[in-house]
Amino acid sequence: MRIFVASWFFPPATSSEGLVTYKLLRNSNLEYDVFSSTSRQWGYKAKTGFNKEENIHSYTIETDSIEKWVDACIEKFEELNKLYAYECIMTRSTPPESILVGKAIKERYPKIKWIASFGDPVANNPYELKAYVTDSIKIDSFEKAEVLASLRQDNGKINKNWKCATDKGVSLLFELKSWEDYALKNADLIIAPSETQLKYILGNDTWLPKYQVIPHSYDSSFYKHNSICNKNKKITFLFTGYSDQLRSLKPFVDAVRQLKRKNSPALDKIHINIVGNTPRNLMDSVINAYLEDIITFSDGVDYYTSLEQIENADWLLHVDAFFSDITSGGSLFFAGKLADYFGTDKPVFALTGEGSPAYRMVNIAGGICDLPWDIDSICDHLEQIAFGTCRPEINQQYRKQFDAVAVANIFDNRVLEMCLKKSPNKREAYPIIENSEEPKLLSICVPSYNAQEFLDRCVYSLINHPMAAYEEVLIINDGSRDYTAEIAEEYARRYPGIVRLINKENGGHGSTINSAIKEAKGIYFKNVDSDDWVDSKNLAKLIENIQNKTITADVISSDYDEINLMTGTNTPLCAGGSIQYGKNYSFETIDPEDCYFTIHSLTIKTNILKSMGMQLQENTFFVDCEYILFPVPYIHSFVFSKDKIYKYSRGNPEQSVDISNMVRRYDHHDRVMRRVIEYSTTSEMSSAAKQYYDNTLHRLLYTHYLLSLFYDKDRERGCARAVDFDVFLKKARPDLYEWTNNHYKFVKISRDSGFSPNIQIPFSSVSMEKVMPQAKKSIIIRASKKMKRIFEKIKNI
């Protein structure tokens, strides 16, 4: 297989990114055409010898302009593609403009597989966040917080607005984010040197098969393996590479200075050599402290000479830049030089935070780690090394996994798997279904975003029954970055006229339902999320009842099961005690306390959804509330079914209903609440329907106030949010404002205190049992217990 590679850095120019790419490609069994730049502006001064590998064909352009390189790169691809008809391309993300090469090629040739390599993060690179946001004097603290929060969101509209910001640094960051988002969404394989960095880029712990760790490597053939005898008998420490004010060697200098102050005999036994780019002030601090006989500086050398120096040192020094807001030990980077260190049998002394990639690797490979500000610990370790009491065991077995041959083998296998795989679905047996020419009775919307883990289970349950020919399954692929589309295509291919794949740009859950409603042809409409499934037998019974006109009501509300994803525990959720199954009801004939539709229980006539004229909000979570409330003015009859159809999977931390996610996305919940409340003031509905609508709002208001007043650990922020919503509610629906005051004691207490974050609220005031109907008793008990635990924590804040 032949792959086109867009890599600004590549030998003979010397840079960490170019060397990482070179070591990977030269040890691969695949063939590569690499287009790079011989810019004089980038990389280290010393050139790297290039061995002219048989599997690498190098093309270059001499320019300092990245824009010219991008255009020339695309032009070269077009020229070579006529000869080789590439199946695959790879872009290296340093600099990030290489993504533009991948974008141009992928849009023109969508079937070509795209490997997007992220040597560093693009959108949220800590160095750039510090330079353009946290250290900026052009934007105030409020704007800084807003910029940082927006950069972590997946919201195209917000990003587009920020790209037009007057501050050029902020505008650039959101330009970079748009590139990164495009690559994450459209590339077929995303690679990065560590799992820590990948999760940071993605913003969560969700791991999909299109993500792959390809660590930096060392090439054992580059080492001479003939260490020179140390004549002065001192223990030598070597740092080689790039350092600056953030990635600073100053802690080592400060430690040596401290040892000199106390006349430590260890100074007679050690020597530190710093090779490469070094800030002038660090050299001055060494001269100022009279440490030139212990710490020396040398100019940068070519790559192969640096490896020879590494082999001849006793200890190798590594330094990470430390960023306090990075939870993984202040760093998420894996420096390419660290992999070169692992190509020797030498221990590593690293300045890095606990939990960083380097911390974990150095401790396993053989070495010691200190925090950069812990000068006392650095001093102690230098003395222990000098006197021979610190001898880390070198783990050669672990270090071998960074050998370039082993890393290239992982890469090759992953690329071949990606290019040869037709469908990731492993199902071998599918039900036999003959399509019916009869009109569809039920349209089923399956919103799908990165759903490859669950989608097969969901769709199989929807068609594995004798009435499947009378339904249409609309799989709405919401811009997934995994193999969701391929799994859906397999079902659509096998069941034309029954299963249909609709691909769309990412717009959130509401946008998928909007799309499905527009396309639906069935008499009834049902939503089944891709991570849930159905009881196939009971689904078939529902379709039979529709076919036989046993059921003709506008709405069918079916009991359903809640399944705990982790434990498998099944909790049935049933209609209220006064409900008679199979009986036709209207809002005028029902006890509103026992009538509560959910998106999981609901099967509704399609024409109601099409004619109500209200679309669900896009790029917004919690729009289930809109889905169950907007049709209310148009519903005239409904029936309750005892047959449990829906299997609602709970316990996935990525679900929007996870409490931590609800707090994080409070603004989404707030948007939905305001919209459904405003809708109640503008829509014409009967007094009975209005009573049902308001009863539903009572429950939603309860949750909304809890999110701000109890679940938000930032008490000041939570109270401020509650005040803002309270002002809205009082103006929009003063009757609901009074109702919450009379029925929710915790809201009244908060209001009476002026929403003070220091107010103590008794747990008894947040009980929901008087508000929720008997039908939801199991939910009440679990919610109350959870609230009690949270309440106990809040009391101690």
Side-chain angles (χ1 to χ4, degrees), residues 598-711:
T598 71
I599 194 171
H600 313 302
S601 72
L602 204 64
T603 303
I604 185 169
K605 281 189 173 177
T606 306
N607 63 359
I608 290 178
L609 298 173
K610 285 181 179 290
S611 62
M612 68 184 184
M614 288 292 288
Q615 288 199 329
L616 308 187
Q617 292 185 79
E618 302 194 356
N619 294 304
T620 302
F621 289 87
F622 317 117
V623 291
D624 294 8
C625 304
E626 297 178 355
Y627 182 77
I628 63 175
L629 285 176
F630 287 165
V632 168
Y634 305 88
I635 296 172
H636 302 292
S637 60
F638 43 88
V639 65
F640 291 87
S641 172
K642 193 173 185 178
D643 297 322
K644 297 185 182 68
I645 295 176
Y646 204 100
K647 302 294 182 180
Y648 176 34
S649 177
R650 289 291 301 272
N652 182 352
E654 294 304 310
Q655 286 177 312
S656 62
V657 293
D658 180 79
I659 289 297
S660 61
N661 285 333
M662 291 185 77
V663 173
R664 183 162 59 88
R665 296 165 178 151
Y666 173 86
D667 59 324
H668 294 240
H669 201 272
D670 192 63
R671 287 201 298 271
V672 170
M673 285 301 301
R674 293 178 191 241
R675 194 166 185 235
V676 295
I677 289 170
E678 288 171 344
Y679 183 77
S680 71
T681 67
T682 59
S683 298
E684 294 183 9
M685 61 184 94
S686 68
S687 59
K690 181 74 158 47
Q691 187 176 1
Y692 165 79
Y693 195 105
D694 283 357
N695 276 4
T696 305
L697 286 181
H698 295 161
R699 302 180 185 102
L700 298 175
L701 284 165
Y702 181 83
T703 300
H704 197 57
Y705 277 110
L706 277 179
L707 287 177
S708 57
L709 295 174
F710 277 89
Y711 289 125

Side-chain angles (χ1 to χ4, degrees), residues 559 573-581 583 585 590-596 640 642 699 772-777:
D559 291 351
L573 296 175
C574 307
S578 69
I579 295 297
Q580 293 182 37
Y581 292 110
K583 176 182 176 181
Y585 287 97
I590 196 76
D591 178 358
E593 291 296 332
D594 270 358
C595 179
Y596 184 60
F640 291 87
K642 193 173 185 178
R699 302 180 185 102
M772 293 292 284
Q774 189 70 19
K776 306 300 172 186
K777 203 69 175 178

Side-chain angles (χ1 to χ4, degrees), residues 74 78 99-109 182:
I74 296 169
E78 293 287 2
I99 292 173
L100 300 179
V101 176
K103 183 175 185 290
I105 295 173
K106 189 68 173 176
E107 288 178 348
R108 187 172 297 183
Y109 305 95
Y182 184 90

Side-chain angles (χ1 to χ4, degrees), residues 296-432:
T296 57
F297 298 92
S298 305
D299 291 335
V301 295
D302 68 83
Y303 176 62
Y304 299 105
T305 301
S306 75
L307 294 182
E308 187 176 356
Q309 292 175 336
I310 288 171
E311 285 190 277
N312 291 319
D314 297 305
W315 278 77
L316 304 170
L317 302 181
H318 170 75
V319 180
D320 276 336
F322 190 91
F323 300 91
S324 58
D325 55 340
I326 300 294
T327 56
S328 55
S331 175
L332 50 89
F333 296 101
F334 174 10
K337 185 61 67 176
L338 190 57
D340 286 330
Y341 285 178
F342 291 161
T344 71
D345 59 356
K346 304 303 169 64
V348 180
F349 192 161
L351 300 185
T352 189
E354 184 174 355
S356 71
Y359 181 90
R360 178 180 179 277
M361 290 187 288
V362 168
N363 277 292
I364 298 175
I368 54 178
C369 295
D370 275 325
L371 292 168
W373 55 82
D374 194 349
I375 305 303
D376 289 339
S377 182
I378 298 171
C379 285
D380 290 343
H381 279 130
L382 287 174
E383 286 188 308
Q384 291 167 16
I385 293 169
F387 298 123
T389 58
C390 179
R391 295 191 182 92
E393 182 178 347
I394 304 303
N395 188 337
Q396 290 289 5
Q397 193 63 34
Y398 174 76
R399 293 185 178 210
K400 284 180 181 178
Q401 67 182 273
F402 300 98
D403 184 284
V405 174
V407 172
N409 187 53
I410 294 172
F411 178 74
D412 286 358
N413 290 338
R414 190 66 185 83
V415 171
L416 291 172
E417 178 190 4
M418 174 188 67
C419 291
L420 298 176
K421 184 179 287 186
K422 302 301 180 184
S423 170
N425 202 11
K426 297 180 180 179
R427 185 174 295 281
E428 296 180 358
Y430 291 82
I432 298 174

